């Protein structure tokens, strides 16, 4: 069974794009996308090695991700001062394509 990435984001177009990028970058990783934490929890029988979570979803469900900080990347639009000392990794989705690709590596 291949390791899995989870994307949890309400924006369908955003998670479709990120899923395609991740699948192109990491050949032996399955990528699953969810519109909500509830949808993700219903499918949580997979071996997730990393999570990409929209910042609004994270802030609404902090307890769900507290133990997963080292393997969770929060998707933000611009810099988010609430994340700077939180211990979560973050990815500014408004950066240039090159900077995003570098950050994912």
């Amino acid at each position: 069974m291949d390791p899995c990435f989870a994307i949890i984001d309400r924006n369908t177009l955003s998670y479709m794009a990120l899923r395609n990028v991740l699948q192109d970058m990491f050949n032996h990783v399955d990528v699953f996308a969810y519109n909500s934490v509830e949808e993700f929890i219903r499918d949580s029988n997979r071996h997730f090695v990393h999570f990409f979570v929209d910042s609004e979803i994270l802030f609404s469900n902090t307890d769900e991700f507290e133990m997963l900080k080292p393997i969770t990347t929060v998707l933000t639009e611009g810099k988010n001062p609430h994340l700077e000392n939180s211990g979560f990794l973050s990815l500014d989705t408004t950066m240039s394509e090159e900077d995003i690709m570098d950050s994912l590596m």
Side-chain angles (χ1 to χ4, degrees):
M1 177 163 87
D2 287 336
C4 304
F5 288 164
I7 303 168
I8 307 169
D9 193 338
R10 289 183 185 102
N11 185 319
T12 304
L13 186 58
S14 292
Y15 78 62
M16 287 172 57
L18 180 57
R19 181 175 51 204
N20 286 334
V21 167
L22 293 171
Q23 287 173 330
D24 288 347
M25 291 177 73
F26 303 101
N27 295 331
H28 299 292
V29 175
D30 292 326
V31 182
F32 295 90
Y34 306 95
N35 286 107
S36 68
V37 170
E38 295 77 22
E39 184 181 340
F40 162 73
I41 289 171
R42 283 193 300 268
D43 191 36
S44 62
N45 61 339
R46 302 182 191 285
H47 177 65
F48 291 104
V49 297
H50 201 85
F51 302 88
F52 294 88
V53 182
D54 175 71
S55 60
E56 289 182 25
I57 291 175
L58 176 85
F59 292 134
S60 298
N61 299 277
T62 306
D63 292 344
E64 296 290 334
F65 296 98
E66 189 66 33
M67 299 291 291
L68 303 171
K69 277 184 185 182
I71 58 172
T72 300
T73 298
V74 183
L75 305 172
T76 66
E77 290 185 18
K79 293 199 182 248
N80 189 318
H82 300 293
L83 289 173
E84 288 184 19
N85 295 318
S86 70
F88 286 100
L89 303 169
S90 64
L91 177 65
D92 177 358
T93 60
T94 64
M95 293 189 301
S96 71
E97 182 177 345
E98 182 178 323
D99 289 341
I100 289 174
M101 297 302 278
D102 288 345
S103 292
L104 290 172
M105 293 303 285

